[in-house]
Amino acid sequence: MLKNQKRLTGIAQPKAGKAKKKQSISTLKKKLWKEFSLFIRNRDKWTCYTCGRKAEGSGLHAGHFISKSVGGISLYFHEKNVSAQCYNCNINLSGNIWIYGQKLGEKTVAELYAIKGQTAKWTVDDYLEKIAYYKGINDLSTRKFESD
């Protein structure tokens, strides 16, 4: 459509053949973290794994035993490596790692450290699959909570 025709009709026509923009890995990682961290907090009943304190909203985090900066993507979203933690344990006590490790147990700690050395590269489809999985669980959890 020519500019003049557009002006005359006042209706913008959709551009033919323009595909939906592919989401970046960074965007997908953020979306997955949103769903995954909600899953972790729900799984742990909004209670800090290391000190037992109840919290809600931004007062409760999804804290990593092996930090995400050194654990790689495999541990970033690993359910055994992430637990609900209050702000004090996760931020002020840097994860309260001694207590965290004691509660996980030697076997789980060894398993997580073995994974730490592995490298993995996730595809867009990997992220989309995991987002759908955790979103589905969170949706079920929300419906169950609303019906109680």
Side-chain angles (χ1 to χ4, degrees), residues 47-94:
T47 303
C48 180
Y49 181 74
T50 47
C51 76
R53 188 177 299 153
K54 283 266 189 200
E56 57 187 49
S58 63
L60 194 68
H61 300 187
H64 292 81
F65 175 67
I66 297 176
S67 75
K68 52 191 175 185
S69 62
V70 297
I73 198 71
S74 296
L75 288 175
Y76 196 112
F77 297 106
H78 194 290
E79 291 180 19
K80 289 182 180 178
N81 189 50
V82 184
S83 295
Q85 286 194 300
C86 67
Y87 180 89
N88 185 56
C89 286
N90 193 37
I91 303 300
N92 295 340
L93 300 176
S94 301

Side-chain angles (χ1 to χ4, degrees), residues 5-6 13 21 23 45 52-53 56 64 67 69 73 81 85 95 98 106 108 114 116 120 122-123 127 139 146-147:
Q5 287 176 321
K6 183 178 173 184
Q13 299 295 318
K21 185 179 177 187
Q23 295 183 68
K45 297 177 176 52
R53 188 177 299 153
E56 57 187 49
H64 292 81
S67 75
S69 62
I73 198 71
N81 189 50
Q85 286 194 300
W98 175 253
E106 280 183 51
T108 301
K116 179 182 169 191
W122 287 9
T123 65
Y127 281 99
D139 289 348
E146 288 172 353
S147 68

Side-chain angles (χ1 to χ4, degrees), residues 23-62:
Q23 295 183 68
S24 70
I25 294 291
S26 176
T27 299
L28 291 171
K29 191 174 183 180
K30 287 175 190 171
K31 286 182 178 184
L32 177 54
W33 179 251
K34 180 182 173 190
E35 295 299 335
F36 181 75
S37 64
L38 178 59
F39 162 77
I40 293 295
R41 291 175 283 161
N42 283 331
R43 179 198 69 188
D44 294 348
K45 297 177 176 52
W46 294 82
T47 303
C48 180
Y49 181 74
T50 47
C51 76
R53 188 177 299 153
K54 283 266 189 200
E56 57 187 49
S58 63
L60 194 68
H61 300 187

Side-chain angles (χ1 to χ4, degrees), residues 42 135-148:
N42 283 331
K135 184 167 181 27
I137 293 173
N138 291 336
D139 289 348
L140 285 173
S141 191
T142 302
R143 275 190 239 133
K144 182 182 181 288
F145 179 73
E146 288 172 353
S147 68
D148 286 346

